Amino acid sequence: MFALIDCNNFYASCERVFRPDLNGRPIVVLSNNDGCVIARSNEAKAVGIPMGAPAFEYEKLFQEHDVQVFSANFALYGDMSNRVITILSDYSPEMEIYSIDECFLKLKGFDLFNLQTYGEGMRYKVSKWTGIPISIGISPTKVLAKVANRIAKKYPNETQGVYIIDSEEKRVKALKWLKVEDVWGIGRQHSKRLSAIGVKTAFDFTQLNDEFVKKQMAIVGLRLKHDLQGIPTLDLEETQIKKSIATTRSFETNYTTYEQLAERINTFASSCAEKLRKQNSCCNSLMVFIHTNGHRKDLPQYSRNIVVKLPFPTSSSIELVKFATQALQKIFKQGYAYKKAGVIVQDFSQADNLQQTLFESRDKRHIPLMQTIDKLNLLFGQQKIRLASQDTKRVWKMKQQKLSPHYTTNLNDIITINL
């Protein structure tokens, strides 16, 4: 059996843990730079706020319904996610972390357990220890566990937040209830094509011929169908390291000089290097891009990117900044107003298993230096230690006018309890 655990309205729930006065009130969380709605509480959904809604267009609706608006506090959400995952890891030795608010548990050897009671115990412990509400779906396959979770979340009172598909009757009933466009793994285009041939529900999808499904949706679609039929096809996946890492930004104002862009590119390259080190990787190539504001038709337009093959794999901020600067020099043109730029590192190798070149290789002195910098930044705060080429005043700063405190990751923001 597989269990899918999903945190309910996770970002909004994280805000409510430390602000219980927000319980029952509509909450939305905005994207980087407070642009669009990326998370909504059930109350916010009820007043008609769609996912992806531009915040500035919905300000009037926010005021009318007293919607509580928050900037994305990813440090808080990430820490709360780790706490939930740590608790859940005690319930099974086999786990797949699917996203920041979802994970699968493989319940192998749990035949003698009462899974309803077991699931309710998980919910109680996570809620008691973190304050985060969760829903749990349990089934013989991963995709059916997704379906069961959806039912648990839709009908929390009837299911106690835990729903188990453990019979053919329950499987068929659940699939006839679920719309085909809501099936995990069936995208918008596939759902349109399926709907055009009369496939309206997940059950309808399972009645299609295997050869037809494979032809239209490849082997992935066929595995999906078998999983929905209760035939275990998809197993837990090991955590994969990222295949590319990007740091990109739109600037608050147009940049017209090389020095302004160079400082930003240096900072982006340094950020990519730090992310590489976190997953114990080195990159073998990088891309630098710059472009003007396409919405400003009154200004001359220019867009360019360049991919640089590195002479050796590295995760050193010093070395990556050097290569990124050389790349920028090749594509920068004077006379344009630049609005966005970025650095993307790719073609990764494991840092502890590198193929050395004959004539050039990474400076090994940088390894302990970067480790020290990472430790200091972790201890004293992000980017406390920077390269000299980075602006100490930080030219770019994310717009986060409605950011909540970092309750669990910054001692200055820790909650004070008045007795």
Side-chain angles (χ1 to χ4, degrees), residues 149-413:
N149 183 278
R150 196 177 188 93
I151 295 171
K153 186 174 289 189
K154 182 73 174 179
Y155 304 103
N157 295 329
E158 295 87 342
T159 64
Q160 303 301 313
V162 180
Y163 189 72
I164 305 172
I165 298 178
D166 54 1
S167 69
E168 182 65 9
E169 181 183 359
K170 283 186 175 182
R171 184 187 73 84
V172 172
K173 184 179 180 180
L175 296 188
K176 287 183 176 180
W177 168 81
L178 185 66
K179 295 178 180 179
V180 70
E181 60 264 28
D182 293 331
V183 175
W184 180 46
I186 294 183
R188 183 178 302 175
Q189 295 304 318
H190 281 312
S191 64
K192 286 182 179 179
R193 285 194 287 268
L194 291 170
S195 180
I197 61 173
V199 177
K200 305 297 184 183
T201 67
F203 180 77
D204 295 336
F205 176 67
T206 62
Q207 302 308 297
L208 294 174
N209 180 274
D210 278 5
E211 290 302 319
F212 176 82
V213 173
K214 186 176 180 180
K215 182 178 179 180
Q216 296 296 321
M217 302 175 63
I219 191 66
V220 175
L222 186 59
R223 289 171 179 167
L224 177 62
K225 179 197 168 187
H226 289 167
D227 242 48
L228 286 171
Q229 290 175 317
I231 305 169
T233 308
L234 305 174
D235 206 346
L236 298 186
E237 297 180 2
E238 295 182 3
T239 303
Q240 299 292 322
I241 64 171
K242 295 179 180 178
K243 296 182 179 179
S244 66
I245 292 174
T247 302
T248 68
R249 295 287 186 271
S250 292
F251 308 133
E252 69 279 9
T253 60
N254 292 330
Y255 287 179
T256 57
T257 69
Y258 171 80
E259 288 72 23
Q260 287 175 313
L261 272 181
E263 192 281 330
R264 291 292 80 200
I265 291 297
N266 289 347
T267 297
F268 300 160
S270 180
S271 175
C272 287
E274 182 180 354
K275 295 173 184 177
L276 279 171
R277 296 193 294 271
K278 282 184 178 179
Q279 66 172 38
N280 194 36
S281 296
C282 291
C283 70
N284 290 275
S285 65
L286 63 80
M287 182 176 77
V288 173
F289 73 84
I290 54 176
H291 63 72
T292 53
N293 189 345
H295 299 291
R296 291 290 303 273
K297 303 302 181 183
D298 57 319
L299 296 176
Q301 299 295 313
Y302 175 72
S303 178
R304 183 78 187 277
N305 67 72
I306 183 172
V307 177
V308 178
K309 181 69 176 177
L310 306 186
F312 50 83
T314 182
S315 62
S316 164
S317 298
I318 298 171
E319 290 169 340
L320 284 179
V321 164
K322 182 183 74 171
F323 295 131
T325 300
Q326 293 172 353
L328 177 63
Q329 291 170 348
K330 294 179 180 179
I331 62 175
F332 176 80
K333 280 189 177 182
Q334 196 70 44
Y336 293 95
Y338 296 96
K339 185 61 177 176
K340 189 173 183 178
V343 175
I344 303 173
V345 293
Q346 49 205 4
D347 189 14
F348 295 166
S349 303
Q350 282 295 102
D352 50 9
N353 188 28
L354 296 179
Q355 181 69 42
Q356 299 297 323
T357 60
L358 182 60
F359 298 106
E360 289 188 273
S361 62
R362 63 190 302 204
D363 191 333
K364 292 184 178 180
R365 295 175 299 175
H366 291 183
I367 298 175
L369 175 61
M370 293 300 116
Q371 291 173 344
T372 301
I373 290 175
D374 291 341
K375 288 179 181 178
L376 289 173
N377 284 335
L378 180 64
L379 185 62
F380 296 107
Q382 189 179 22
Q383 294 190 13
K384 290 295 184 182
I385 307 297
R386 310 183 193 183
L387 302 183
S389 58
Q390 295 178 253
D391 191 332
T392 55
K393 297 180 181 179
R394 195 177 184 187
V395 173
W396 182 88
K397 186 175 182 180
M398 190 184 300
K399 180 182 177 183
Q400 292 180 306
Q401 295 180 342
K402 301 179 184 298
L403 184 66
S404 57
H406 295 79
Y407 298 105
T408 64
T409 59
N410 189 328
L411 283 175
N412 295 322
D413 291 339

Side-chain angles (χ1 to χ4, degrees), residues 44 65 124 135 223 308:
H65 296 279
Y124 175 79
S135 297
R223 289 171 179 167
V308 178

Side-chain angles (χ1 to χ4, degrees), residues 53-96:
F56 72 94
E57 292 183 5
Y58 282 79
E59 287 182 356
K60 185 177 180 181
L61 187 62
F62 292 164
Q63 294 174 359
E64 288 177 359
H65 296 279
D66 191 29
V67 178
Q68 304 301 301
V69 183
F70 291 92
S71 302
N73 191 340
F74 292 120
L76 174 65
Y77 307 152
D79 183 68
M80 293 301 291
S81 174
N82 289 335
R83 291 169 187 245
V84 172
I85 294 299
T86 300
I87 295 170
L88 294 175
S89 65
D90 289 338
Y91 286 87
S92 173
E94 297 182 80
M95 170 185 283
E96 175 192 337

